[in-house]
Amino acid sequence: MDPRCLIDGITPMSVMTDDMNFGQLEENRMTDATPSDHGTGVTPSPPLPPPVRADTNGSLLTYWQDRMGQHVRDSYAGVRLMKFPEDLRTYEHALWLSRAQVVVELGTHSGGSALWFRDRLRTMASYGRIPEDVRVITLDLDQERARSALAAADRFYAQQVVLLEADLLDASTAPLIAEHLPPGARCLVVEDSQHAHATTLAGLRHCASLVSPGSFYVVEDAVVDHPELCVHTRPPGPTGGVTWAVEEWFSTPASAGFSRVPDMNPYGVSCKNIWLWREVERQRVAPPAP
């Protein structure tokens, strides 16, 4: 994903305007992560995202709009992470339920979500829920920014985070990803690329097969199909058509075995991620001989 929206100053949501887009936010960016005095960590910059006021006399629409503007300026371990906390909580449930050992992320940006997924997988392994050989395989056209930010946050990140440079529109991408999957590992796929019809459909066509039975394929940010919610967030380039792409894919034989899970955004406000569950394959038992 290439929305250039990293900043280091905190701008209250009350002063954001409809004209503020990702490109303008990029102009204010200094670094994705600042090395700390300890050498292995980072000093978060900014320490907190800009505050959003929950006015009990205000409208839900205004609150949701402000939360959309806020989430693109959040961070994790000093690395830019652009996800709603509510969506991250849902991911924790999904990881536990699916027993995914590997997360494949289509769209890296700065690497904050890759780092977050890696840490969640480590936690699941510490509970004995999954094997200790956890992995995040994250894909983007250019990984220079993520490589720098992740190295500043954790110099050993490459032990469990694989940065791949490839084009999601290219059918050869899926075999490249598969080369890095541990044998027999259960896999969950997150598509967080351009949030446009072409990339959404390409991700499903090329990478849905990587999902393990009983796990999920997540199409992120269908909220772009709701422009009334995105007045503070306008990524560069063409976006939209995410929901349309999912419906188009469901009309093809490749979608067999997948079903949409409408209740996977349980916390109210979200980025309207679309959750697809791959059904568990049932073994066919031959009828007893007469």
Side-chain angles (χ1 to χ4, degrees):
M1 183 175 63
D2 194 29
R4 308 283 180 167
C5 60
L6 311 185
I7 69 168
D8 281 351
I10 295 180
T11 303
M13 295 306 303
S14 59
V15 303
M16 291 189 70
T17 70
D18 292 353
D19 294 330
M20 292 185 73
N21 56 37
F22 288 164
Q24 288 173 299
L25 295 177
E26 169 67 7
E27 293 176 2
N28 297 322
R29 184 182 66 84
M30 293 176 62
T31 58
D32 291 331
T34 304
S36 73
D37 293 336
H38 301 289
T40 58
V42 297
T43 301
S45 181
L48 291 173
V52 167
R53 182 182 178 187
D55 186 351
T56 56
N57 294 319
S59 72
L60 176 59
L61 175 61
T62 298
Y63 175 72
W64 204 325
Q65 290 170 341
D66 288 349
R67 288 291 307 279
M68 285 296 299
Q70 179 193 55
H71 96 284
V72 298
R73 301 193 291 165
D74 211 341
S75 60
Y76 175 72
V79 184
R80 189 60 55 192
L81 171 61
M82 297 180 288
K83 291 189 185 341
F84 271 37
E86 291 88 344
D87 291 333
L88 294 175
R89 187 71 185 95
T90 302
Y91 272 119
E92 288 183 319
H93 287 299
L95 291 170
W96 182 268
L97 291 169
S98 67
R99 295 179 180 264
Q101 179 185 348
V102 175
V103 171
V104 172
E105 182 185 47
L106 309 175
T108 308
H109 199 262
S110 297
S113 54
L115 192 64
W116 186 90
F117 280 123
R118 192 257 342 237
D119 290 349
R120 300 291 78 71
L121 291 175
R122 282 180 169 180
T123 299
M124 298 296 170
S126 73
Y127 283 115
R129 187 71 175 172
I130 59 176
E132 293 184 356
D133 184 17
V134 301
R135 197 163 305 175
V136 175
I137 304 169
T138 182
L139 176 86
D140 217 316
L141 292 173
D142 184 353
Q143 297 286 22
E144 181 179 358
R145 170 183 290 182
R147 193 174 293 112
S148 175
L150 290 174
D154 178 2
R155 59 180 175 171
F156 301 113
Y157 80 89
Q159 293 178 355
Q160 294 169 312
V161 177
V162 180
L163 299 177
L164 296 181
E165 292 185 345
D167 189 344
L168 183 57
L169 299 177
D170 190 336
S172 66
T173 294
L176 175 64
I177 294 171
E179 292 177 5
H180 296 272
L181 293 174
R186 293 185 53 76
C187 182
L188 181 149
V189 176
V190 178
E191 191 272 301
D192 189 17
S193 57
Q194 194 179 11
H195 315 309
H197 178 271
T199 52
T200 302
L201 189 57
L204 287 164
R205 285 175 172 171
H206 301 157
C207 298
S209 61
L210 298 173
V211 176
S212 302
S215 189
F216 298 93
Y217 186 105
V218 188
V219 180
E220 289 213 342
D221 294 316
V223 71
V224 299
D225 292 336
H226 300 266
E228 72 280 5
L229 296 176
C230 302
V231 296
H232 296 316
T233 53
R234 292 207 301 273
T239 60
V242 170
T243 306
W244 170 33
V246 173
E247 296 303 324
E248 183 176 338
W249 182 73
F250 265 112
S251 69
T252 69
S255 65
F258 282 87
S259 60
R260 188 164 174 169
V261 188
D263 298 330
M264 286 298 286
N265 292 305
Y267 296 106
V269 295
S270 71
C271 283
K272 292 186 173 290
N273 297 338
I274 299 174
W275 288 79
L276 310 179
W277 182 70
R278 188 170 189 179
E279 299 172 4
V280 177
E281 297 173 353
R282 295 181 175 84
Q283 293 184 349
R284 294 186 177 181
V285 179

